[in-house]
Amino acid sequence: MAHVVELSVVPPPLRSDWRPPQSTGKPIAPLVKRRLIPAGPAYLAHVKRDVHNLSFEEHDKHAEEERKRLEALYGTGAGGEDDLGVGDEEETEDLLALDPKEWKKQDHYAVLGLSHLRYKATADQIKIAHRKKVLKHHPDKKAGAAGETNDDAFFKCIQKAMEVLANPERRRQFDSVDPYYEALEDEVPTEKEVKTAKDPNAFFFKTFGPVFEREARFSRKQPVPLLGEYSDSKETVEGFYDFWYNFDSWRSFEYHDKEVNEGSDSRDDKRYTEKKNKSERARRKKEDIARLRGLVDLALGLDPRIKRIKQEEKEAREAKKKGKTGGANGLSAKQKAEEEKKKAEEEAKRKEEEEKASSTVARAEAKKAKAAAANAAKKARRQARTEGEA
């Protein structure tokens, strides 16, 4: 509980030249009885301490724990009362000197202080960052500040950034051509850099991993398989490259479209501009597809897992071949004995069949000879009977 400490305070003496103020002669307003309603964070903190019977130290401890919980829950987002740093990035002189007429060339995330989040920023975080920037750079505040002019150029840039990022479709168009990531597209490691690295395997995953992670944000299909690690299985590696060779990207380039000349009502001008924009978008899309395909080809050619998988398959084939050869040598004697036994059985069976056949032939010949003898005797008797009658 709180402790009350009484301090003896002695007011200083009045100055010698002090005189009481003279009356203005104006009437004093009548007293009005008003009802005060307790409200605000101080009152709420008092109620919380009173209800939960907390001391000031315990209350501060609970408040700190709640702040850490919100920070862990929302990251650098919009969950806490202090907004966790959203929109508090330092503004450079180049950023403050932006021309609002060249709004297509400005980095909208940097203008709102969201450079550390970019496409990961939520709608609530964008609103909070915009509110902070408006409170800081509103023309009314700048006009009243000493030494400042009523230059609202940067304020117009803030409003334009909010206009683009608050609209989901226009934000997606800007994310497709985000200048920060477009600069990183040229920072892909080369084949020479990977092969000449001290540890090529570790260098490959360290440099190509973030590249594929950045490109994954354009995929229509989610989740996107990332590069992985050296110990991945053959199925995982094949699935990764199959996905990226058939990558379905939503990236578009409407943000770079040229506007129709101001004040021109000619339909021909509008048609020409639309046709030219359409052609330019198709060209950029084709180049982006070719760039991504080249990136996947480069990664496939340098991926140490491909070499490891081929080596493992080669060793497996050799081991299988060696196992078959060894098995054939070990079973040759047994197989030879079985073959000899089989041949002997076949020979015995053949001889038995030949004996059966020969005996059958002998019986047939004996039967044939007996029949012939019987016929001869019958013929002799018939001839003798004929001669006796004569």
Side-chain angles (χ1 to χ4, degrees), residues 201-268:
N201 292 355
F203 183 81
F204 173 81
F205 290 99
K206 182 180 179 181
T207 54
F208 276 90
V211 174
F212 281 101
E213 185 177 355
R214 291 195 300 266
E215 297 294 336
R217 72 188 192 276
F218 296 126
S219 177
R220 297 182 188 273
K221 300 178 182 178
Q222 297 291 336
V224 179
L226 298 181
L227 188 59
E229 55 188 14
Y230 181 77
S231 60
D232 286 340
S233 64
K234 179 182 177 181
E235 292 74 14
T236 303
V237 177
E238 289 179 345
F240 170 80
Y241 285 105
D242 181 67
F243 181 92
W244 283 94
Y245 272 119
N246 298 279
F247 191 78
D248 186 11
S249 174
W250 55 259
R251 190 177 189 183
S252 60
F253 298 91
E254 293 91 346
Y255 192 81
H256 287 314
D257 285 356
K258 292 184 178 179
E259 304 291 338
V260 181
N261 295 332
E262 295 183 5
S264 175
D265 295 332
S266 174
R267 293 184 179 180
D268 292 337

Side-chain angles (χ1 to χ4, degrees), residues 158-197:
I158 294 172
Q159 296 298 87
K160 196 64 183 181
M162 182 61 182
E163 179 183 337
V164 172
L165 299 182
N167 185 308
E169 183 178 355
R170 298 188 65 182
R171 182 185 179 185
R172 173 168 283 203
Q173 293 175 1
F174 176 74
D175 288 339
S176 297
V177 296
D178 190 332
Y180 174 80
Y181 289 111
E182 280 192 334
L184 295 178
E185 289 179 359
D186 298 330
E187 297 184 5
V188 178
T190 62
E191 182 178 357
K192 183 178 179 181
E193 291 175 344
V194 176
K195 291 184 176 180
T196 57

Side-chain angles (χ1 to χ4, degrees), residues 16-177:
S16 58
D17 58 346
W18 182 84
R19 297 290 182 273
Q22 297 181 355
S23 177
T24 59
K26 295 182 180 180
I28 300 176
L31 298 178
V32 178
K33 186 176 181 181
R34 300 181 184 275
R35 182 183 179 186
L36 298 180
I37 301 176
Y43 175 73
L44 294 177
H46 163 72
V47 172
K48 185 176 181 180
R49 289 193 299 269
D50 188 54
V51 171
H52 297 285
N53 195 23
L54 299 175
S55 65
F56 282 93
E57 291 79 6
E58 292 172 339
H59 178 266
D60 293 341
K61 183 179 179 181
H62 281 280
E64 180 65 17
E65 292 176 354
E66 180 67 10
R67 188 192 67 79
K68 291 181 178 180
R69 185 187 70 82
L70 291 174
E71 185 175 356
L73 180 62
Y74 295 100
T76 55
E81 294 179 355
D82 58 352
D83 302 332
L84 303 176
V86 175
D88 294 332
E89 293 179 359
E90 185 178 353
E91 297 154 350
T92 62
E93 294 183 1
D94 293 338
L95 193 65
L96 295 173
L98 288 175
D99 184 359
K101 294 181 181 180
E102 302 291 335
W103 61 270
K104 277 200 172 185
K105 297 181 180 180
Q106 76 179 28
D107 185 348
H108 299 307
Y109 289 114
V111 170
L112 294 183
L114 297 169
S115 299
H116 61 296
L117 294 175
R118 311 200 78 82
Y119 69 92
K120 297 180 182 179
T122 64
D124 291 337
Q125 290 169 338
I126 292 174
K127 291 179 182 178
I128 290 173
H130 173 254
R131 184 174 67 247
K132 284 189 174 183
K133 293 295 183 179
V134 168
L135 292 174
K136 182 178 179 181
H137 294 281
H138 196 279
D140 293 344
K141 285 193 173 183
K142 297 180 70 174
E148 294 284 347
T149 61
N150 191 15
D151 184 6
D152 60 347
F154 187 65
F155 181 77
K156 291 180 179 179
C157 293
I158 294 172
Q159 296 298 87
K160 196 64 183 181
M162 182 61 182
E163 179 183 337
V164 172
L165 299 182
N167 185 308
E169 183 178 355
R170 298 188 65 182
R171 182 185 179 185
R172 173 168 283 203
Q173 293 175 1
F174 176 74
D175 288 339
S176 297
V177 296

